[in-house]
Amino acid sequence: MAKLSLISILLFLGFTLSCAATNYIVGDSSGWDISTDLASWAQDKTFTVGDVLIFQYSSSDSVNEVTKEAYDGCNTTKVIKTYTNNGNTTVTLTRPGAWYFISGNRLYCLGGMKLQVNVQGNEADSPVAAPQGQPGASNDLPQPSKNNNPIPTSSGFVYGGKNYLGKVFFGFAATVLLLLS
């Protein structure tokens, strides 16, 4: 009976931990900054509903969530939402599709301080895989020069992403089961 209880607990923890969201610091150590190549930073990442973007910036700047049209024209007056949390903003990606962010300073936006992320739905919600890229989008973007891995957070649940966590959990569970048998 004790083995069955332990196995049940391990399975429950495995499913709970493998569903954890990934936190990303936008621009890695450079942050949300005019000198950061934000297009390259986002290029090789797979964003999923529930993931969190962490914007770190100077207290004199802000982050605007905008439409595609405002993104393309760096329009800082027609915004969906403005974030001015003294240089530390978190945005949870709550829906699939394209998300657009620009600097609250139009000149910074015109200088490239803007970010587009394409968010995929949860696998449980969509049986068909989301398309890789948008029609007409160029794949000839410059290669990133920074380490673009998700960041570890204080919760410890996201180091290396969801797939890494699942492998660690199932390795641990297999070891426990072997020891108990």
Side-chain angles (χ1 to χ4, degrees), residues 113-133:
M113 198 168 156
K114 57 186 188 175
L115 173 69
Q116 174 187 347
V117 296
N118 295 311
V119 180
Q120 297 180 359
N122 293 327
E123 288 127 16
D125 295 338
S126 57
V128 179
Q132 299 295 318

Side-chain angles (χ1 to χ4, degrees), residues 24-35:
Y24 294 95
I25 293 181
V26 173
D28 293 326
S29 61
S30 298
W32 179 248
D33 186 80
I34 189 73
S35 66

Side-chain angles (χ1 to χ4, degrees), residues 64-158:
N64 290 334
E65 181 184 343
V66 296
T67 63
K68 177 168 179 25
E69 293 75 26
Y71 173 87
D72 290 340
C74 286
N75 185 335
T76 58
T77 59
K78 289 189 173 184
V79 301
I80 296 170
K81 187 164 186 179
T82 298
Y83 301 94
T84 57
N85 297 350
N86 293 323
N88 194 14
T89 294
T90 58
V91 177
T92 302
L93 303 171
T94 57
R95 61 169 170 73
W99 289 63
Y100 302 94
F101 301 94
I102 63 173
S103 170
N105 180 327
R106 186 166 193 266
L107 292 176
Y108 289 175
C109 178
L110 291 169
M113 198 168 156
K114 57 186 188 175
L115 173 69
Q116 174 187 347
V117 296
N118 295 311
V119 180
Q120 297 180 359
N122 293 327
E123 288 127 16
D125 295 338
S126 57
V128 179
Q132 299 295 318
Q134 296 178 330
S138 170
N139 290 329
D140 296 333
L141 297 173
Q143 293 300 310
S145 59
K146 296 181 185 124
N147 179 357
N148 288 326
N149 293 325
I151 58 138
T153 64
S154 59
S155 67
F157 289 155
V158 297

